[in-house]
Amino acid sequence: MTTRPFQYKAGTYRSGLEKLIQQQLADAGITAQYEPGRIEYVAAPKHYTPDFVLPNGIVIETKGYFLPADRTKHIAIKQQHPDIDLRFVFQNPATHLSKTSRTTYADWCRKNGFLYASKRIPEEWLNEKPEPARLQAIKELIKNKKH
């Protein structure tokens, strides 16, 4: 399934939620990096392009749909890159993983140790102080940027 990018003054986004997050950041005067580079990991497709990287080094992934392949990928990234602080902003964290599952996106995050939010990046994430290991991990990511 190919996503149709949204046009926005600051760039092109893959979803309306990404566009909404970019507007939130712009309104807050925060210049986050959008898809700054790839994070390599062992599993197909072997790389991940984060949606946003905040100046404090927090990686924000926006999700409307949270597919099984996405969940597998993010667990692999967390295991292989423990210094990358990956957090989710869901369109609706109360959405169930599937029609037959009682587990919600929020439940999955709690179970797997990911922080998450609904529709907007929480102010406390935006104001969180940088951590040296987190910044170094992101610096390496950006250094290895591929386009």
Side-chain angles (χ1 to χ4, degrees):
M1 173 192 223
T2 305
T3 56
R4 192 165 177 216
F6 288 79
Q7 294 295 320
Y8 184 72
K9 291 179 184 176
T12 302
Y13 301 95
R14 297 178 196 272
S15 72
L17 183 56
E18 287 182 0
K19 182 178 170 183
L20 179 70
I21 294 298
Q22 176 58 40
Q23 186 60 54
Q24 176 195 1
L25 293 169
D27 291 347
I30 295 173
T31 304
Q33 298 172 40
Y34 177 71
E35 295 189 350
R38 294 178 174 178
I39 297 171
E40 302 297 325
Y41 65 99
V42 179
K46 298 187 182 172
H47 71 268
Y48 157 65
T49 303
D51 290 337
F52 297 94
V53 177
L54 302 179
N56 59 13
I58 295 171
V59 175
I60 303 293
E61 180 66 20
T62 59
K63 288 289 180 196
Y65 297 105
F66 199 31
L67 303 174
D70 293 325
R71 298 190 300 268
T72 300
K73 172 177 59 177
H74 291 299
I75 287 173
I77 292 164
K78 183 175 184 151
Q79 291 171 342
Q80 294 170 35
H81 299 281
D83 290 331
I84 293 176
D85 187 353
L86 175 61
R87 303 178 187 188
F88 293 92
V89 176
F90 293 110
Q91 184 69 35
N92 181 2
T95 301
H96 292 263
L97 295 178
S98 71
K99 290 180 182 180
T100 59
S101 175
R102 291 184 178 210
T103 304
T104 65
Y105 296 174
D107 295 334
W108 182 92
C109 284
R110 284 190 293 268
K111 177 184 174 194
N112 291 288
F114 289 97
L115 295 178
Y116 69 92
S118 178
K119 294 186 182 174
R120 297 182 59 81
I121 301 170
E123 289 294 319
E124 54 269 19
W125 294 6
L126 298 175
N127 298 324
E128 195 170 313
K129 292 185 180 182
E131 294 176 6
R134 182 169 63 200
L135 290 173
Q136 183 60 36
I138 294 305
K139 183 178 178 182
E140 289 299 317
L141 162 74
I142 294 168
K143 181 173 88 175
N144 295 322
K145 181 178 180 177
K146 297 177 185 177
H147 280 288

